[in-house]
Amino acid sequence: MPGHIQDRWYKVETAPNGKSVRAKTDRYGTGLRYRARYVGPDGSEQSKSFPDRQKSLAEKWLTRVKADMDAGQFIDPKAGQITFREYAAKWLDGLTTDLGSQEVVNRRIRLHAIPYLGSRPMGSFKPEHMRTWLNMLSLALPNATYRRAIYDSVSSLFNAAVDDGVLRSNPCHAQSVKAPEPEPRLIHPWPEERVFAVRAGLPDRYAATVDAGGGCGLCQGEVFGVAEENIDFDTGWVHVRQQIKRVRGTLVFAPPKRG
């Protein structure tokens, strides 16, 4: 049996005849009677209290703790007390993706996860909480593709919590939790008449953006990032070497998507 179970209602004293006898403590009859204690892998003592007549439950709890330690699956109960909001702040600070991607993930978590999940301790999450959150999200955001992106960011956060020993499993991975299905996006190119009408309606300095977007198929950031040296006027080739992105409210140059 790992650890030790303390009976807080009785203590052992030595009688005048030298024999050990049980005597009531000052706490007799009040509060939880048994306290199961063990030393965790980090060397700190952990404990959990149980009521009167529940010593067998305390013993079973200690047995499970030992089994988890032996299997390398031990989760410190105190680690799960951190709230979603607190853990999200730590996780977001540790992201190693590019700044633009970090800002996108930060916005998803801050606007669409923390208001619903922020105050709940990480160790208390169950699949039912994720189902409720997804249902509320569907009422607030009709776009299923965007909801799926938010869901993926939250699931990544829970994956990190499992790796960090905060959670035993990711509640988003339960069979009863259904990820939002992205909506198929059908692209409808503008007809020539509309393209030329937009080009004619723009100031001269912006007319070339229509050529880059409608003629070369560049996305908005790539259109804004085209430099004169990216255009080979002899062969007619346009080389996409950078794009313009907004990072924390500032426009910056960045490599094209996927480098």
Side-chain angles (χ1 to χ4, degrees):
M1 174 69 64
H4 170 72
I5 297 178
Q6 176 191 9
D7 186 344
R8 289 184 283 193
W9 287 9
Y10 287 93
K11 60 184 177 180
V12 177
E13 295 181 342
T14 302
N17 59 7
K19 293 183 179 181
S20 297
V21 296
R22 283 207 317 164
K24 295 179 180 179
T25 67
D26 295 338
R27 300 186 56 165
Y28 178 81
T30 61
L32 298 177
R33 178 175 178 178
Y34 298 105
R35 180 168 64 176
R37 298 185 294 182
Y38 66 92
V39 177
D42 61 353
S44 63
E45 184 181 274
Q46 309 289 346
S47 66
K48 184 175 180 179
S49 297
F50 297 83
D52 185 28
R53 301 183 181 181
Q54 297 296 328
K55 185 177 181 180
S56 60
L57 286 182
E59 293 171 344
K60 290 178 181 178
W61 182 77
L62 283 178
T63 299
R64 286 196 299 270
V65 169
K66 182 179 186 303
D68 288 343
M69 287 184 182
D70 292 343
Q73 299 177 344
F74 174 76
I75 300 294
D76 184 352
K78 291 184 178 179
Q81 294 176 5
I82 185 174
T83 65
F84 182 93
R85 177 182 287 103
E86 294 167 338
Y87 185 80
K90 294 174 57 178
W91 180 69
L92 290 169
D93 285 343
L95 291 178
T96 56
T97 53
D98 65 272
L99 289 177
S101 298
Q102 289 180 36
E103 184 176 14
V104 169
V105 173
N106 189 304
R107 186 164 57 248
R108 293 172 185 166
I109 298 294
R110 178 170 48 83
L111 297 180
H112 305 295
I114 288 179
Y116 300 95
L117 311 173
S119 61
R120 177 171 290 279
M122 290 292 288
S124 70
F125 275 102
K126 296 180 180 179
E128 64 178 285
H129 301 124
M130 309 318 298
R131 295 194 299 269
T132 300
W133 168 63
L134 287 172
N135 183 57
M136 297 175 70
L137 204 62
S138 68
L139 298 176
L141 298 173
N143 189 315
T145 301
Y146 186 41
R147 294 202 309 272
R148 177 55 182 263
I150 297 168
Y151 166 87
D152 288 341
S153 295
V154 171
S155 183
S156 295
L157 183 151
F158 280 118
N159 281 338
V162 173
D163 293 340
D164 291 341
V166 175
L167 290 175
R168 189 181 301 276
S169 62
N170 184 342
C172 291
H173 291 173
Q175 289 187 348
S176 63
V177 177
K178 305 300 181 184
E181 289 290 338
E183 298 171 351
R185 300 179 63 186
L186 210 57
I187 304 299
H188 298 283
W190 287 355
E192 289 184 23
E193 296 79 10
R194 186 176 187 182
V195 173
F196 291 133
V198 170
R199 192 184 196 284
L202 289 173
D204 291 342
R205 63 178 299 187
Y206 297 128
T209 61
V210 177
D211 301 331
C216 301
L218 305 188
C219 69
Q220 177 177 283
E222 294 167 346
V223 170
F224 295 158
V226 171
E228 187 173 351
E229 56 266 26
N230 298 151
I231 304 173
D232 189 330
F233 292 98
D234 294 329
T235 64
W237 280 94
V238 174
H239 301 278
V240 183
R241 297 194 175 102
Q242 70 274 326
Q243 63 172 317
I244 298 294
K245 298 180 70 174
R246 183 183 296 275
V247 177
R248 296 174 183 171
T250 302
L251 297 176
V252 299
F253 284 105
K257 190 174 183 180
R258 299 186 179 87

